[in-house]
Amino acid sequence: MQAVQITDHGGTEVVAYGEYPDPEIDDDEVLVDVKAGALNHLDVWVRGGLPGIDLEMPHVPGSDAAGVVREVGPDVTRFEEGDRVAVSAGVSCGECEFCRDGEYTLCTSFHIVGEHVQGVHSEYAAVPEANLIPVPEGVDWEVAGSSTLVFQTAWRMLIDRADLEAGESILVLGASGGVGHAALQIADYAGAEVYATGSSEEKLEYARDHGADHVCNYEEADFADWVRAETGKRGVDVVVDHVGGETWRDSIRALAKGGRLVTCGATTGPNPETDIRRIFWNGLSILGSTMATSGQVDDVMALVWDGTFEPAIREVLPMSETARAHELLENREGFGKVVVKPDSELES
C-alpha cells in the first residue's frame, strides 16, 4: 500500500509518500480502508521530534482519519465489514485506577495514535476496535476524517474541565485553528459570551460567523488589554489557551477573579513565565486537559454528525502533498483543518 512516512526528524523534507507494508490486524483490531484524514499540529511536533518519544522510522503519522471497515479481528464485536468509521486517537490501558474511574485520558500508559505508535495516514490502517466510532451515512469523509481529535479535545476542555456555564464569558485564543475553531462553536453552544482572537480579518470574520460576540486581531492589539477594556476591567471567566509560552502571562491577566485557564497544548513553548501572585491573589484555577473519555467523544461527535458543529476545512490535498500540508499549518495559512486523502482515492 501507499502511506505517508516520516523518514527522520527534521523539516518538511523528511515527509515522504510511497510504498509501505500492508497492515496485519490483531485479534482486537479492524482494517480500515482510509478515505480521508487530517493533520493536527501534533503531526508537526512528531516530525520535529518530541522529547522522550523514540519512534521507529519510517513512521506513519496521522491521528485523524475515517474510512470503511474491510476486515475485523476475531475478538471484534462492534463493527463488521462495510461499516463507516472514524478514528478516536487516544489509547488507554482500561485497567489502571484512572481508567476504572472513567478518566481514560489520565491513564498511566495513555498514548496517541500517530504520536507514540504508527498513525493512520495511509491507504489502509489497522486500528484497535476501542479507537473507532461509527460514522452515519451522509456524513462527508472530509468531515468524518478531520473532526474527532479537535472536537473531543475542545469539548472536554470547556464542558468537563472548565465546567463552562450559560451566561459566563470565555476567551478563545487562535479561534480559527483546529482546537480553537471547535472551542468557539462549543462555547457558543453552551450559551457563553464569546471573545475570540485571530491574526487577520478573514479569520476574525470566520469567528464572528461561528459564535464569537467580540473579536480581536492579536497582531494589532494586546489581547489582555482588549479583554479588560471590553469587560470594564473585569476580565473573562474562562480562557482557552492552546498556544503556550507566548500567550500564557496575558491569558492569566485576561481572567476575572475566580477565573479558570484551561490548556491542552504549548505550541509556542512549554515553559512560560508565570505571575504566581496574580494566580493566588485572584483565586485563579489552571486546568490541564488532554483528549476526552469515550463517553465525551460520543457526546460531541453526535453534534458534529448532525451538523450542529462544523469543522472548518481550509484545503484538501493528496497524501503525496503532505509536506505542503505541514507548511500550511506551520505558516498559519488559512483557518481550520487541512485534509489529506490517499492519492488512489482522488484518482478514482
Side-chain angles (χ1 to χ4, degrees):
M1 71 170 183
Q2 301 285 305
V4 179
Q5 298 162 61
I6 296 172
T7 57
D8 200 352
H9 294 307
T12 55
E13 74 280 355
V14 304
V15 180
Y17 184 69
E19 287 294 327
Y20 191 83
D22 291 345
E24 297 182 3
I25 60 173
D26 289 336
D27 289 352
D28 64 345
E29 290 185 327
V30 170
L31 183 66
V32 179
D33 180 354
V34 175
K35 301 300 182 183
L39 274 75
N40 299 280
H41 270 284
L42 176 61
D43 296 296
V44 175
W45 300 329
V46 168
R47 189 199 76 212
L50 288 167
I53 299 178
D54 185 18
L55 294 177
E56 179 183 347
M57 297 293 181
H59 175 75
V60 176
S63 304
D64 269 332
V68 177
V69 173
R70 292 304 180 208
E71 184 181 347
V72 299
D75 293 341
V76 172
T77 60
R78 295 173 50 235
F79 300 102
E80 58 186 26
E81 184 177 351
D83 285 350
R84 293 161 53 92
V85 294
V87 175
S88 180
V91 181
S92 56
C93 72
E95 299 175 355
C96 69
E97 62 175 298
F98 301 104
C99 289
R100 290 194 296 271
D101 289 341
E103 292 293 338
Y104 302 109
T105 66
L106 300 181
C107 173
T108 53
S109 61
F110 183 79
H111 59 281
I112 299 174
V113 171
E115 178 181 3
H116 305 86
V117 297
Q118 298 285 15
V120 289
H121 286 176
S122 51
E123 289 184 306
Y124 294 92
V127 183
E129 176 185 26
N131 289 98
L132 292 173
I133 55 176
V135 176
E137 291 288 343
V139 175
D140 291 342
W141 288 125
E142 289 84 355
V143 170
S146 65
S147 51
T148 57
L149 192 144
V150 294
F151 275 94
Q152 69 172 280
T153 298
W155 184 266
R156 179 173 173 83
M157 289 176 76
L158 273 62
I159 304 303
D160 178 72
R161 299 293 286 140
D163 196 20
L164 183 66
E165 296 183 355
E168 289 193 304
S169 54
I170 182 171
L171 169 63
V172 179
L173 301 184
S176 62
V179 170
H181 90 288
L184 184 74
Q185 296 177 60
I186 292 168
D188 181 54
Y189 175 82
E193 183 171 7
V194 184
Y195 297 77
T197 71
S199 60
S200 69
E201 183 53 42
E202 180 187 21
K203 293 177 180 179
L204 296 179
E205 187 61 34
Y206 172 85
R208 293 187 192 98
D209 291 342
H210 289 81
D213 301 295
H214 314 272
V215 297
C216 172
N217 186 327
Y218 64 79
E219 298 281 7
E220 299 176 353
D222 181 296
F223 71 81
D225 288 342
W226 168 75
V227 163
R228 300 197 72 81
E230 290 284 316
T231 59
K233 298 184 179 180
R234 176 186 183 274
V236 293
D237 298 302
V238 176
V239 172
V240 176
D241 188 334
H242 50 92
V243 181
E246 289 183 2
T247 56
W248 191 258
R249 285 180 67 94
D250 280 342
S251 290
I252 291 173
R253 197 158 60 88
L255 284 168
K257 286 183 177 293
R260 294 96 76 195
L261 190 159
V262 59
T263 179
C264 69
T267 303
T268 61
N271 297 304
E273 291 186 6
T274 296
D275 186 346
I276 297 174
R277 295 167 300 179
R278 184 181 288 271
I279 293 174
F280 68 69
W281 190 253
N282 288 345
L284 306 181
S285 297
I286 309 296
L287 305 167
S289 188
T290 298
M291 308 285 284
T293 68
S294 56
Q296 291 161 356
V297 172
D298 290 341
D299 289 344
V300 70
M301 294 313 298
L303 295 168
V304 174
W305 303 150
D306 72 11
T308 300
F309 299 145
E310 175 188 358
I313 297 172
R314 71 179 88 174
E315 195 156 347
V316 178
L317 297 171
M319 284 187 179
S320 58
E321 295 183 22
T322 296
R324 168 61 180 153
H326 279 247
E327 292 174 354
L328 288 169
L329 266 65
E330 288 184 290
N331 298 333
R332 296 185 299 171
E333 298 178 38
F335 52 84
K337 301 300 292 288
V338 180
V339 171
V340 290
K341 305 181 78 170
D343 288 41
S344 55
E345 280 297 313
L346 293 171
E347 295 165 358
S348 62

